[in-house]
């Protein structure tokens, strides 16, 4: 069981660089007006990061055309290459997903599968396009499964080249048997989730600033 930890500010590394954050929202809900627990919690993390002068963008994957495949571009109208460019331009990437039957959403799995092209580049030249980028995870769900879901995503991200700071996740899951229509109301009242979101944002920014000042640059 997660035990609520107090939120404290800290001295950030001296950095003159502006930071960019990208949220990949794996909610299955379509359209910007559809209320999504996943997007709202990710948005809360983004709000905390913006207090450190981080600019951010949320990409709702359900509204994008991301075909099945392992290549960089799978069709003329494939929107994955555009998302990759946003990932490359970002310093912080937040992977946000609901839980479906104990695991991450099919859209988050699609992202993991399509990142295989980046992993092939990494294997070929020893330089990951995702080096010096910090990753975080946001998870929401109606019942249990948050810890195993974030563990699976963490494994992928670290092998892809992302840096994972301490407490690199925030989550909320409802009680067993409760109506999902009350999920949002109960989530908004949950203090532990609010604390996680704030600590996650602080740690993401801290390590992103460190990597700006001291990037990992593999030699040829």
């Amino acid at each position: 069981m997660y035990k609520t930890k107090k939120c404290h500010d800290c001295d950030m590394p001296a950095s003159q660089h502006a930071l960019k954050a990208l949220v990949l929202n794996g909610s299955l809900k379509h359209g910007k007006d559809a209320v999504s627990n996943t997007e709202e919690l990710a948005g809360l993390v983004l709000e905390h990061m913006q207090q450190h002068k981080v600019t951010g963008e949320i990409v709702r994957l359900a509204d994008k055309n991301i075909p099945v495949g392992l290549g960089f571009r799978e069709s003329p109208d494939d929107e994955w290459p555009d998302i990759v460019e946003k990932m490359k331009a970002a310093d912080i990437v937040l992977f946000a997903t609901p839980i479906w039957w104990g695991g991450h959403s099919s859209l988050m799995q699609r992202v993991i599968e399509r990142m295989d092209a980046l992993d092939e580049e990494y294997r070929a030249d020893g330089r990951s396009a995702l080096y010096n980028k910090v990753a975080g995870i946001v998870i929401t769900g109606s019942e249990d499964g948050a810890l195993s879901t974030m563990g699976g995503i963490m494994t992928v991200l670290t092998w892809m080249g992302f840096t994972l700071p301490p407490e690199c996740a925030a989550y909320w899951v409802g009680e067993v048997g409760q109506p999902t229509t009350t999920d949002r109301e109960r989530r908004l009242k949950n203090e532990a989730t609010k604390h996680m979101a704030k600590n996650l944002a602080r740690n993401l920014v801290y390590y992103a600033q460190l990597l700006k000042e001291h990037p990992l640059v593999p030699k040829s």
Side-chain angles (χ1 to χ4, degrees), residues 45-204:
V45 177
L46 197 56
E47 285 179 19
H48 287 306
M49 286 194 285
Q50 288 169 343
Q51 295 175 11
H52 299 284
K53 300 180 180 179
V54 177
T55 58
E57 176 184 2
I58 298 178
V59 173
R60 185 172 286 209
L61 301 171
D63 295 333
K64 301 296 182 181
N65 180 36
I66 308 174
V68 173
L70 299 176
F72 178 71
R73 185 184 297 276
E74 290 292 335
S75 67
D77 58 348
D78 186 355
E79 294 184 79
W80 175 248
D82 296 332
I83 295 174
V84 170
E85 290 308 307
K86 292 179 184 292
M87 292 174 65
K88 289 181 177 180
D91 304 291
I92 300 168
V93 183
L94 199 58
F95 294 80
T97 178
I99 296 173
W100 283 100
W101 292 102
H104 52 254
S105 74
S106 58
L107 288 168
M108 188 54 59
Q109 181 63 27
R110 181 67 51 85
V111 165
I112 291 171
E113 292 164 354
R114 292 300 301 272
M115 282 199 299
D116 189 73
L118 293 172
D119 194 44
E120 290 301 318
E121 291 178 0
Y122 182 5
R123 292 178 60 197
D125 62 13
R127 294 172 179 266
S128 172
L130 304 175
Y131 270 166
N132 303 312
K133 300 185 185 302
V134 176
I137 300 167
V138 165
I139 292 174
T140 61
S142 293
E143 296 185 12
D144 204 356
L147 296 179
S148 62
T149 299
M150 73 176 66
I153 296 175
M154 285 178 186
T155 300
V156 173
L157 298 183
T158 188
W159 285 113
M160 287 285 182
F162 280 105
T163 296
L164 303 182
E167 298 178 62
C168 65
Y171 70 90
W172 179 88
V173 288
E175 297 176 47
V176 175
Q178 296 299 309
T180 58
T181 53
T182 64
D183 278 356
R184 182 174 185 270
E185 179 183 354
R186 287 180 285 123
R187 175 180 57 78
L188 291 174
K189 294 179 181 179
N190 190 290
E191 293 299 320
T193 295
K194 294 176 185 178
H195 284 210
M196 276 190 282
K198 188 172 183 178
N199 284 333
L200 167 59
R202 180 199 62 197
N203 294 352
L204 289 173

